[in-house]
Structures are given as structure tokens and as C-alpha cells.
Amino acid sequence: HKDLPDEITFSHELQRRISESHRFGTPLTVMYLRVVGFGALEREFGTALGELLLDSVGQFVGGTLREMDLLGRSEPGEFIVMLPGSSEREANIVGNRIQSALANCAIPIGSTRITLQVSLGTCEVEPADDATAFINRARSAVGAGQKLVAAV
């Protein structure tokens, strides 16, 4: 996940895509992903393992996306996905693919195998959105349980 753009870099590209979406009337959706229980996993297994887990999540999520989509880092244990040309309904389908991919990936940690789960929030661009507001709406969708694709 260290190779992924951080939220500031992600926001710059998102702002450009928001302008494009408004000008041409194309859909644009942002998905916010939160690794369920990441803080507890990091406390139990340590920061180095936490980084390894986030790298794994980044790889699996990236593997489910189209070349034109953009995956970025946000807060610890959280990711942002920009889905140009996708409606919120289509983004929820992508979210289900992401959750399925992670559910089928057990990461071995010593004698333990960890299966990660993510909670997702999605929202489609609105006329008044800038990048910050757009990301915050997707982040709030996870926190409030709105537009939540159920955790596996």
C-alpha cells in the first residue's frame, strides 16, 4: 500500500475527474473501504504485520479494478477507490467483488490464518462536490452504515 497514492495525491486526480464528469455528464463514483478490526489486528500482531496486511489488501483490491480506476490510501486501515464512468450501482457490484476476493484470501501469520473483511461506502458525484466533500461523503457512508455493502 506504500506504492499507492496518498489521499492528497488521490484528491488532485479526483478533482480533475470531477470536472470531467460535470462537463461531459459521465458518472463518477468513489468507494471508501475500511478494513474491519484493523486497529485490533495491528495491536495484536504489531505494526510491521499491519503494514503487510494493508499491502495484501491493496494488492487484492487493485486486482479487482479496471485499469482506469484509481486506488489510494487514506487513514490507517482505509482505502479510497475512484471509479470513473461507473454509477453507484455499478460501484456496489465492484464492492461485492472486492469483498469476495478478500474473503477467499486467508493470510498465514505463524500458525494462524487471518481472513480480512472490509466495510464499504459508495457515493456518486453531485454538482456541488469537490474532491474533499466527495471523499468525506463516501467515508461517512461507511461510518453511518449508509450505502453499506455488508462486510463478509
Side-chain angles (χ1 to χ4, degrees):
H1 85 289
K2 294 176 199 107
D3 296 334
L4 299 176
D6 62 15
E7 191 167 328
I8 293 169
T9 304
F10 183 94
S11 292
H12 291 301
E13 178 62 16
L14 180 59
Q15 189 61 53
R16 190 180 74 71
R17 290 295 191 144
I18 289 170
S19 297
E20 179 181 73
S21 174
H22 290 233
R23 180 172 182 190
F24 297 111
T26 56
L28 175 63
T29 300
V30 166
M31 178 186 309
Y32 200 88
L33 294 87
R34 184 171 294 138
V35 178
V36 176
F38 176 73
L41 287 169
E42 193 173 45
R43 283 188 297 279
E44 182 175 345
F45 296 106
T47 304
L49 182 70
E51 291 296 315
L52 175 67
L53 292 174
L54 293 179
D55 288 342
S56 296
V57 171
Q59 288 174 2
F60 278 97
V61 171
T64 66
L65 300 176
R66 305 168 297 184
E67 191 172 328
M68 64 194 255
D69 299 332
L70 180 63
L71 173 64
R73 295 180 283 119
S74 186
E75 303 295 322
E78 300 179 357
F79 296 86
I80 323 163
V81 180
M82 177 174 46
L83 300 156
S86 294
S87 67
E88 190 169 1
R89 183 186 63 73
E90 293 165 328
N92 285 326
I93 293 168
V94 172
N96 287 329
R97 273 200 325 255
I98 289 169
Q99 288 179 317
S100 293
L102 285 174
N104 292 318
C105 170
I107 301 168
I109 310 293
S111 62
T112 306
R113 293 180 73 76
I114 297 174
T115 301
L116 298 175
Q117 302 171 347
V118 292
S119 293
L120 308 172
T122 59
C123 61
E124 200 165 332
V125 70
E126 294 180 353
D129 278 337
D130 64 10
T132 301
F134 197 9
I135 291 169
N136 285 336
R137 284 193 311 110
R139 182 182 285 128
S140 294
V142 175
Q146 302 165 352
K147 313 267 192 230
L148 182 66
V149 178
V152 175

